[in-house]
Every structure is written in C-alpha cells, then in structure tokens.
Amino acid sequence: QVQLVESGGGSVQAGGSLRLSCAASGFTYSTFCMAWFRQTPGKERDWVATISSVSGTTTYADSVEGRFTISRDNAKFTVYLQMDSLEPEDTAMYYCATKPGATCWVSTSRYGYWGQGTQVTVSS
C-alpha cells in the first residue's frame, strides 16, 4: 500500500529555517507527482509546492516563491521541503501528497494519497 510519512516540523523564530521530509513507500517515483500542502484551523488546505518525479520540474505558490525549495531523493524514496526566511504566516500543518502520472496539478482533489501532517509554528 502507498504510505506517506512527514517529519521535520517544529517551532522556530521568524527568519529561521526548517526542513520537512516526506518518506514514501508502495509506489515508483518515476510515475508519480509529489506535492506539499498546508492548512490552518478553519481554512482551506492550500498548495505550497509540487515536483515531478520524472522531470524534476517544480512549481511554487506565490506566497513561498523564493523562500521554499522542494526537492527529491528517489534513492531514499523521499521528498523534502526546505523552508527559509520563515514568517508567522507560514504557521500551519504541512501535508505531503502524491498522485499517479507525470502531470503535477495543484488542486487537492487531484491527489489520492496523503500523509498525516507535521506541524510548523513560526513565532514573531
């Protein structure tokens, strides 16, 4: 079965950095798209970044462009989200998701597999 497990969340002061990891199992990276989403209580789960496991092409939400970097390590079956220059507005539960195929959509409805989430808290 497909499993996604996030880790690396925590508390950090504004301007600091965190590196999230998503360990995947049960599928082949060459045929999947990986993505990060985030959600705060009472709000929609929003797209953060995507990466194609085939081409390595990345996309970013405007709110994180230039501060966050998504990457992959196919040998370790892991996707990362390097978060720099963190702001209080980045505080959220961060989720890893995946879908079959090479096309990386940014809607939650396109993704069938989700991790349990890891909390990121940024203090002023």
Side-chain angles (χ1 to χ4, degrees):
Q1 69 279 3
V2 175
Q3 295 187 53
L4 303 174
V5 181
E6 302 98 333
S7 62
S11 298
V12 65
Q13 293 285 337
S17 298
L18 286 173
R19 182 171 180 258
L20 307 184
S21 298
C22 174
S25 63
F27 65 94
T28 302
Y29 269 86
S30 63
T31 60
F32 282 79
C33 177
M34 305 296 297
W36 287 96
F37 293 79
R38 65 185 182 185
Q39 185 174 28
T40 56
K43 297 183 179 180
E44 297 283 336
R45 186 172 297 185
D46 294 325
W47 159 65
V48 175
T50 68
I51 186 168
S52 170
S53 62
V54 177
S55 67
T57 300
T58 60
T59 63
Y60 297 94
D62 290 343
S63 59
V64 306
E65 181 75 48
R67 299 188 298 117
F68 291 10
T69 303
I70 187 172
S71 61
R72 65 179 180 177
D73 187 338
N74 288 350
K76 296 182 178 180
F77 306 102
T78 302
V79 174
Y80 305 96
L81 186 68
Q82 177 67 43
M83 305 184 294
D84 298 321
S85 301
L86 283 163
E87 305 168 353
E89 292 77 14
D90 296 316
T91 295
M93 183 72 74
Y94 283 72
Y95 296 90
C96 177
T98 188
K99 60 172 289 293
T103 302
C104 291
W105 301 95
V106 298
S107 173
T108 58
S109 64
R110 297 286 185 172
Y111 293 83
Y113 302 98
W114 296 83
Q116 83 289 349
T118 184
Q119 179 68 42
V120 172
T121 302
V122 184
S123 302
S124 299

